[in-house]
Amino acid sequence: HGLDIVVSMYNARTYIIECLNSLLAKITADIHIIVVNDGSTDGCDTLVSNTFNNHPHINLVSKPNGGCASARNYGRRCSNADHIAFVDADDMVDPGMFSSLLDLARLSGAEIVQASFDTFEHNNQGQYQRQTTYEQLHYDEWERRTANGINYIQVPAANLLVGQPTIWRRVYRRDFLDNKAIFFPEQIRAFDDQIFQILSLYLAQDVLMLDGPRYLYRQHPDQDIQQG
């Protein structure tokens, strides 16, 4: 089928239902979600199982704890889809983001397509505060192209090597990753996505960037990037 979204999950009980509900909004028939429970101890696996029992688009798999890189690689090995994506269990997406990305990937044949992203956090009143990122201003003046009603920007991969790793707002062509042997390095327990980002962008052609629904990147104190 078309696209598998791998969600690596470790003790994500607070966030995982919001994450999965956002991925399911406006999902199409050929997109499935593989939730990889990486040895969690907070019951998030039971919560997912009870909430989405026998859901046709969600497959929950479990493995001993090995870190985020090992969970992402495990989910990829569980997949036989033509395209693959990786989402963090504490984030969300705008409705239909991955459906649009899959359409763009199929139309173009590009190795990597991506959405733009916003950051968000809860304020003291429990409301979401959403903020645009540096990318919005950066790509504001770039030429928009259209394919089958989908607006996008063509970005040289080298442009995306700077800035923080954002492997989670991208759809990768499976044969590209397999042929280039690009995996997450499991010996690195933090910032493994940096290595994956550098390798995949270095070996790819131009990246097509969706001008539409966005990835929502949650800001909170537990993140590796906040602890850095």
Side-chain angles (χ1 to χ4, degrees), residues 42 65 82 88-89 99 102 145 150 159 201 211:
D42 69 345
N65 179 258
D82 296 329
D88 290 351
S99 300
L102 180 57
R145 304 180 180 188
I150 300 172
N159 284 39
L201 290 173
D211 191 21

Side-chain angles (χ1 to χ4, degrees), residues 138-159:
H138 183 73
Y139 293 112
D140 204 35
E141 303 300 321
W142 284 49
E143 177 194 357
R144 264 58 178 175
R145 304 180 180 188
T146 303
N148 206 26
I150 300 172
N151 295 327
Y152 68 93
I153 307 165
Q154 188 165 341
V155 183
N159 284 39

Side-chain angles (χ1 to χ4, degrees), residues 196-216:
F196 189 95
Q197 161 146 311
I198 290 169
L199 281 174
S200 57
L201 290 173
Y202 177 73
L203 294 168
Q205 305 294 318
D206 288 355
V207 174
L208 303 189
M209 182 169 168
L210 181 70
D211 191 21
R214 296 177 187 170
Y215 190 96
L216 306 180

Side-chain angles (χ1 to χ4, degrees), residues 88-223:
D88 290 351
D90 53 351
D91 293 339
M92 297 195 295
V93 300
D94 282 335
M97 186 195 90
F98 278 111
S99 300
S100 296
L101 283 176
L102 180 57
D103 285 344
L104 183 58
R106 284 171 161 167
L107 283 165
S108 64
E111 298 108 333
I112 304 173
V113 297
Q114 70 174 32
S116 53
F117 72 102
D118 289 344
T119 59
F120 78 102
E121 58 189 327
H122 281 105
N123 62 20
N124 293 332
Q125 287 73 46
Q127 300 165 315
Y128 290 125
Q129 289 186 308
R130 181 168 170 167
Q131 292 184 309
T132 56
T133 67
Y134 60 90
E135 281 192 339
Q136 297 311 114
L137 194 58
H138 183 73
Y139 293 112
D140 204 35
E141 303 300 321
W142 284 49
E143 177 194 357
R144 264 58 178 175
R145 304 180 180 188
T146 303
N148 206 26
I150 300 172
N151 295 327
Y152 68 93
I153 307 165
Q154 188 165 341
V155 183
N159 284 39
L160 299 166
L161 280 167
V162 294
Q164 71 183 85
T166 54
I167 58 99
W168 25 252
R169 40 79 174 261
R170 296 185 172 129
V171 165
Y172 300 88
R173 218 177 64 209
R174 175 64 170 273
D175 65 336
F176 163 67
L177 294 181
D178 289 349
N179 292 338
K180 301 295 186 183
I182 303 170
F183 287 88
F184 292 94
E186 298 186 19
Q187 72 276 19
I188 298 175
R189 295 290 291 207
F191 306 111
D192 58 280
D193 52 349
Q194 179 77 277
I195 307 292
F196 189 95
Q197 161 146 311
I198 290 169
L199 281 174
S200 57
L201 290 173
Y202 177 73
L203 294 168
Q205 305 294 318
D206 288 355
V207 174
L208 303 189
M209 182 169 168
L210 181 70
D211 191 21
R214 296 177 187 170
Y215 190 96
L216 306 180
Y217 180 52
R218 189 188 299 266
Q219 307 294 289
H220 59 86
D222 298 332
Q223 292 165 304

